[in-house]
Amino acid sequence: NAGVTQTPKFQVLKTGQSMTLQCAQDMNHEYMSWYRQDPGMGLRLIHYSVGAGITDQGEVPNGYNVSRSTTEDFPLRLLSAAPSQTSVYFCASGPRGGPAETQYFGPGTRLLVL
Amino acid sequence: AQSVTQPDIHITVSEGASLELRCNYSYGATPYLFWYVQSPGQGLQLLLKYFSGDTLVQGIKGFEAEFKRSQSSFNLRKPSVHWSDAAEYFCAVGQTTDSWGKLQFGAGTQVVVTP
């Protein structure tokens, strides 16, 4: 199993550009989520999904869109990038069963918005 | 609203010395509690978790954590630190009422290990 994979590893954008951060998992997990990590703030939940076709907002959803057409993939879209979105983005997945289940994290995507 | 506090932003410890990282949480009931480690340039790896039973939890890499309900704490410990333990450590809580895996993280503690 590859686990949770994220692409790209690093990206530089100009303000106003759009891009999609890819996330895929091969563990057949129903639950997937996106976090952003900023210095001194830990990880904050952006969006999450409890299955194909079902998504919901987390703590900091503004400026980001998600969709989930398959169990395996959960892309995160930035429609118009802003410098405030400079961050490290982590995707995670976990099985149904609630927070007692282990969440598995990808290696992260480092995004710089100029 | 629930919250997670890691009071120490940065800790420096000598190799071979003991390590304790503090975590306090605010939640109406006993939450699910986690410690994750992030090595430089890597994703997060689960060290250990607690959701019921024995309040002293053993994890990977020789770490343990103790849940103290009266102090709303879940401190992480290691008796003897190795240079490879230099990393950032995150405490996280999950709601027992949540059917899924949403986690709330503390700000993290950066651990530096000196020779």
Side-chain angles (χ1 to χ4, degrees), chain A residues 8 15 17 25-26 38 40 42-43 66 72 87 91-93 96 98 100 102 108 110 112 114:
Chain A
T15 297
Q17 286 186 316
Q25 53 92 8
D26 61 0
D38 301 294
L43 281 76
V66 292
E72 295 77 20
S87 187
C91 179
S93 75
R96 175 191 287 267
T102 297
R110 189 172 296 271
L112 174 62
L114 302 175

Side-chain angles (χ1 to χ4, degrees), chain A residues 4-5 16 24-25 27 42-43 45-47 53 55 57 61 70 72 75 79 84 90-92 94 101 103-104:
Chain A
V4 180
T5 58
Q25 53 92 8
M27 297 172 280
L43 281 76
L45 183 64
I46 304 171
H47 285 287
T55 64
Q57 296 180 351
T70 67
E72 295 77 20
L79 297 180
S84 62
F90 289 99
C91 179
E101 298 291 341
Q103 298 292 309
Y104 296 86

Side-chain angles (χ1 to χ4, degrees), chain B residues 6 8-14 18-22 35 37-40 63 76 81-90 108-114:
Chain B
Q6 293 181 247
D8 304 304
I9 297 171
H10 187 273
I11 285 181
T12 299
V13 60
S14 299
S18 64
L19 174 68
E20 182 168 12
L21 304 181
R22 297 183 290 165
W35 276 101
V37 61
Q38 183 182 26
S39 298
F63 284 92
L76 181 72
V81 168
H82 187 261
W83 64 266
S84 60
D85 294 321
E88 189 157 21
Y89 293 79
F90 293 94
T109 298
Q110 185 72 46
V111 173
V112 173
V113 180
T114 60

Side-chain angles (χ1 to χ4, degrees), chain A residues 73-93:
Chain A
D73 301 298
F74 190 43
L76 179 72
R77 297 183 186 86
L78 284 71
L79 297 180
S80 179
S84 62
Q85 294 178 303
T86 293
S87 187
V88 182
Y89 292 85
F90 289 99
C91 179
S93 75

Side-chain angles (χ1 to χ4, degrees), chain A residues 30-31 35 37 40-45 48-50 59 88 90 95-108 110, chain B residues 9 32 34 36 38 41-46 49 51 88 90 93-108:
Chain A
E30 292 177 273
Y31 182 81
Y35 291 86
Q37 181 184 24
M41 303 187 76
L43 281 76
R44 293 179 292 168
L45 183 64
Y48 65 97
S49 168
V50 300
E59 181 185 355
V88 182
F90 289 99
R96 175 191 287 267
E101 298 291 341
T102 297
Q103 298 292 309
Y104 296 86
F105 284 79
R110 189 172 296 271
Chain B
I9 297 171
Y32 295 136
F34 306 82
Y36 281 86
Q38 183 182 26
Q42 303 295 314
L44 277 72
Q45 182 182 23
L46 180 68
K49 61 184 177 182
F51 49 91
E88 189 157 21
F90 293 94
V93 301
Q95 294 184 26
T96 53
T97 54
D98 180 14
S99 300
W100 300 96
K102 295 193 295 293
L103 298 174
Q104 182 155 0
F105 286 84

